[in-house]
Amino acid sequence: MDTAPKSVSPVYAAITARCPRCGKGPLFKNVLELRDACNHCGLNYRFIDTGDGPAVFGIFILGFLVCGAALYVEFTFEPPTWVHFLLWGIGTPLIALALLRFLKALLITLQYRNRAEEGRLADE
Ligand SMILES: [Zn+2]
């Protein structure tokens, strides 16, 4: 991995889903599928390995948000059950996708900036 400039903010790169090095090339082909390389600076994205990180953070954040919002709506407005099915049945997957995209881009940028990679023995 080459030198990591500190000019691209991880939050900016995550919100815009841009390259962790230049902050200009798109990171994803579609909603969550990564490109092979940055089409602006040529950074190869093969080093990326976020594993289950984005999903774990997403589950905790999404569970907290949706459960809190569902309880708030229920006890404040007391809507019929179909309103809950409509709100959370449609809202939860949409929020999950947006949150996963943001968290995946954030963890990729942090992995790049901090040069996080698998540990190796010194003589290898
Ligand atoms: Zn780039």
Side-chain angles (χ1 to χ4, degrees), residues 97-117:
L97 278 179
L99 196 60
L100 267 179
R101 186 178 164 94
F102 171 79
L103 290 170
K104 195 168 180 178
L106 179 67
L107 291 183
I108 287 168
T109 308
L110 290 174
Q111 179 188 1
Y112 179 75
R113 276 177 69 108
N114 298 310
R115 299 176 183 201
E117 58 187 16

Side-chain angles (χ1 to χ4, degrees), residues 14-113:
I15 289 173
T16 58
R18 296 294 165 175
C19 170
R21 180 162 67 187
C22 67
K24 294 183 177 151
L27 197 56
F28 299 106
K29 280 182 201 168
N30 49 39
V31 179
L32 287 174
E33 189 178 356
L34 285 173
R35 291 176 178 272
D36 295 328
C38 174
N39 61 9
H40 188 264
C41 70
L43 175 67
N44 192 334
Y45 292 156
R46 283 193 317 177
F47 72 92
I48 293 171
D49 181 19
T50 55
D52 294 336
V56 170
F57 286 125
I59 286 168
F60 287 132
I61 295 169
L62 187 66
F64 177 79
L65 287 177
V66 171
C67 284
L71 288 172
Y72 176 78
V73 167
E74 175 60 29
F75 291 116
T76 305
F77 305 109
E78 297 180 8
T81 306
W82 65 266
V83 172
H84 283 291
F85 281 114
L86 197 66
L87 273 178
W88 314 122
I90 295 172
T92 304
L94 293 177
I95 297 169
L97 278 179
L99 196 60
L100 267 179
R101 186 178 164 94
F102 171 79
L103 290 170
K104 195 168 180 178
L106 179 67
L107 291 183
I108 287 168
T109 308
L110 290 174
Q111 179 188 1
Y112 179 75
R113 276 177 69 108

